[in-house]
Amino acid sequence: EIAVQAADLFETGLLAGLNVVITAGPTREAIDPVRYISNHSSGKMGYAIAAAARDAGARVTLISGPVVIPAPERVHCLRVESARDMLDSALAQLGQCDIFIAAAAVADYRPMTAANQKIKKSADSMELTLVKNPDVVATVAAHEQRPFTVGFAAETQDVDIYARDKLVRKNLDMIVANDVSMSDIGFNSDQNAVTVFWAENQQSFAQMSKQALARELVELIAHQYQQTQEQQSS
Amino acid sequence: EIAVQAADLFETGLLAGLNVVITAGPTREAIDPVRYISNHSSGKMGYAIAAAARDAGARVTLISGPVVIPAPERVHCLRVESARDMLDSALAQLGQCDIFIAAAAVADYRPMTAANQKIKKSADSMELTLVKNPDVVATVAAHEQRPFTVGFAAETQDVDIYARDKLVRKNLDMIVANDVSMSDIGFNSDQNAVTVFWAENQQSFAQMSKQALARELVELIAHQYQQTQEQQSS
């Protein structure tokens, strides 16, 4: 009931009438029917953002890789496995998407070929050829029906440099960066601390629950989105 | 309460006084701090066997890879990540282990080197060199303090042939084989159907809940273990 009250308090209508698409969780890239490559990601951050965006009045579509947490209520949840599945789902949303928030930990590479049968173990070593996956958030940001696009950067070193580089290189409106080398935040933790970069600005959020952080991020994203809209119409 | 009653009924004491070690879940083999290779495995089958062995009177140690299900009560649970971690934990149990049941989906291969920092994405393709992991169940079965050893085989084709081959090649006492190409059993399903092979014999179990199957398996394993003990003492 406290959660319900908190949700009521947050019902600012900041995102009222807007369609927000959020990706969350890891992707899995099949090596064969049994084995796969994946990333550490619980999906908690993306799911918390989906709930916060819903509470801010948005119609929310959550495109989720394989995770074990339940979908938030009143959020349209699409389940996907691979990066290519996630991209297909994301592109299908464009045209009816105002804000795209890419919180998923998409696998950068996938095995060049996925075997139909379980590969039998024999050699002492084997070479696995990996090919680059499509970049989901960069593809969305480069699309002619480009929404306001927010990326995430999980880094283990030089977080600011890599995040600013991604912001520019992928043509994002904003990027949320966290240092996953710190064991008490990120990944499977219930806490997170991030720095958000956009244009010439940045804002840091000290460690807090992913729920609380999600609300801060949604508020910041909503304000930047509105500024962009005002600039475009003036 | 029905579950408690069922547990009481099963308290046959078939494994009273025995130490049973069970491995469960997948292993994860790090590519770098963010990426890993893993196998599809919920851990449900191994956890159900641990609970069934406990109900049959055994002292149970469960060596578990990363899963999201809770450890059964009154079971000693050791959490591991990689195949090498799992082997270390298993070997540490020998000398005080009567029956070893290897239900885990251990990764056959791991990346030759795990990078300390997140590998930066640049090339269109990359070669990942994989090296063979230690074979946990075969190493246990070859140990001088060898317990009664039961393996598992998850196959997508020619299940009987591969299972019989593993039984002999790895010097196992029994092997539990399931066909993971069937979508309604195995992996993340709550149901399973298996065929158990030992010596010149085999026994098939039709599709049922993993809990019910675990009790059937524990009963069969206990009987075979006792026969082996009688043969050794006669």
Side-chain angles (χ1 to χ4, degrees), chain B residues 68-153:
Chain B
V68 295
I69 52 179
E73 286 179 27
R74 293 180 287 125
V75 160
H76 181 52
C77 188
L78 303 170
R79 306 234 172 238
V80 297
E81 280 273 323
S82 71
R84 287 175 296 174
D85 295 342
M86 186 170 276
L87 178 62
D88 289 346
S89 285
L91 292 178
Q93 298 298 319
L94 301 186
Q96 48 192 348
C97 170
D98 300 296
I99 300 175
F100 184 83
I101 304 173
V106 180
D108 294 339
Y109 290 90
R110 68 174 183 276
M112 188 165 61
T113 52
N116 288 326
Q117 301 292 346
K118 184 178 175 182
I119 299 168
K120 300 313 289 182
K121 172 180 171 172
S122 50
D124 282 344
S125 70
M126 59 180 270
E127 295 294 317
L128 189 62
T129 302
L130 305 178
V131 295
K132 222 178 191 177
N133 261 329
D135 187 318
V136 176
V137 72
T139 305
V140 167
H143 199 273
E144 59 177 7
Q145 293 179 296
R146 180 188 188 283
F148 185 89
T149 306
V150 182
F152 271 68

Side-chain angles (χ1 to χ4, degrees), chain A residues 34-36 38-40 108-109 117-118 120 122-130 132 154-156 162, chain B residues 34-36 38-40 108-109 117-118 120 122-130 132 154-156:
Chain A
V34 179
R35 304 173 179 93
Y36 60 86
S38 191
N39 300 312
H40 291 285
D108 294 338
Y109 290 90
Q117 301 292 348
K118 185 178 176 184
K120 301 312 293 183
S122 51
D124 281 346
S125 70
M126 58 180 271
E127 295 294 316
L128 189 62
T129 302
L130 304 177
K132 221 178 191 175
E155 303 292 345
T156 54
Y162 285 124
Chain B
V34 179
R35 305 174 178 93
Y36 61 85
S38 192
N39 300 312
H40 291 284
D108 294 339
Y109 290 90
Q117 301 292 346
K118 184 178 175 182
K120 300 313 289 182
S122 50
D124 282 344
S125 70
M126 59 180 270
E127 295 294 317
L128 189 62
T129 302
L130 305 178
K132 222 178 191 177
E155 302 293 345
T156 53

Side-chain angles (χ1 to χ4, degrees), chain A residues 23 99-103 137 146-152 172-176 196 221:
Chain A
T23 67
I99 301 175
F100 184 83
I101 304 173
V137 73
R146 181 188 188 284
F148 185 87
T149 307
V150 183
F152 271 68
L172 308 179
D173 294 289
M174 304 177 83
I175 193 159
V176 182
V196 186
I221 291 167

Side-chain angles (χ1 to χ4, degrees), chain A residues 164-183:
Chain A
R164 279 241 168 251
D165 173 64
K166 272 190 185 174
L167 178 70
V168 173
R169 185 165 40 85
K170 298 188 179 185
N171 191 32
L172 308 179
D173 294 289
M174 304 177 83
I175 193 159
V176 182
N178 63 340
D179 184 343
V180 292
S181 70
M182 298 164 74
S183 62

Side-chain angles (χ1 to χ4, degrees), chain A residues 27-161:
Chain A
T27 65
R28 284 184 183 169
E29 312 297 328
I31 299 173
D32 65 24
V34 179
R35 304 173 179 93
Y36 60 86
I37 293 176
S38 191
N39 300 312
H40 291 285
S41 172
S42 65
K44 287 175 188 169
M45 195 66 239
Y47 277 54
I49 293 171
R54 172 203 65 196
D55 291 345
R59 279 184 297 274
V60 177
T61 300
L62 178 61
I63 304 174
S64 176
V67 299
V68 296
I69 52 179
E73 287 179 25
R74 292 179 286 123
V75 161
H76 181 52
C77 188
L78 303 170
R79 307 236 171 236
V80 297
E81 280 275 322
S82 71
R84 287 176 295 175
D85 295 342
M86 187 170 274
L87 179 61
D88 289 346
S89 284
L91 292 178
Q93 299 298 319
L94 300 186
Q96 49 193 347
C97 171
D98 300 296
I99 301 175
F100 184 83
I101 304 173
V106 181
D108 294 338
Y109 290 90
R110 68 174 183 276
M112 187 166 62
T113 52
N116 288 326
Q117 301 292 348
K118 185 178 176 184
I119 299 167
K120 301 312 293 183
K121 171 179 172 174
S122 51
D124 281 346
S125 70
M126 58 180 271
E127 295 294 316
L128 189 62
T129 302
L130 304 177
V131 296
K132 221 178 191 175
N133 260 329
D135 186 319
V136 175
V137 73
T139 306
V140 167
H143 199 274
E144 61 177 6
Q145 292 178 299
R146 181 188 188 284
F148 185 87
T149 307
V150 183
F152 271 68
E155 303 292 345
T156 54
Q157 58 183 345
D158 300 332
V159 175
D160 296 16
I161 296 168

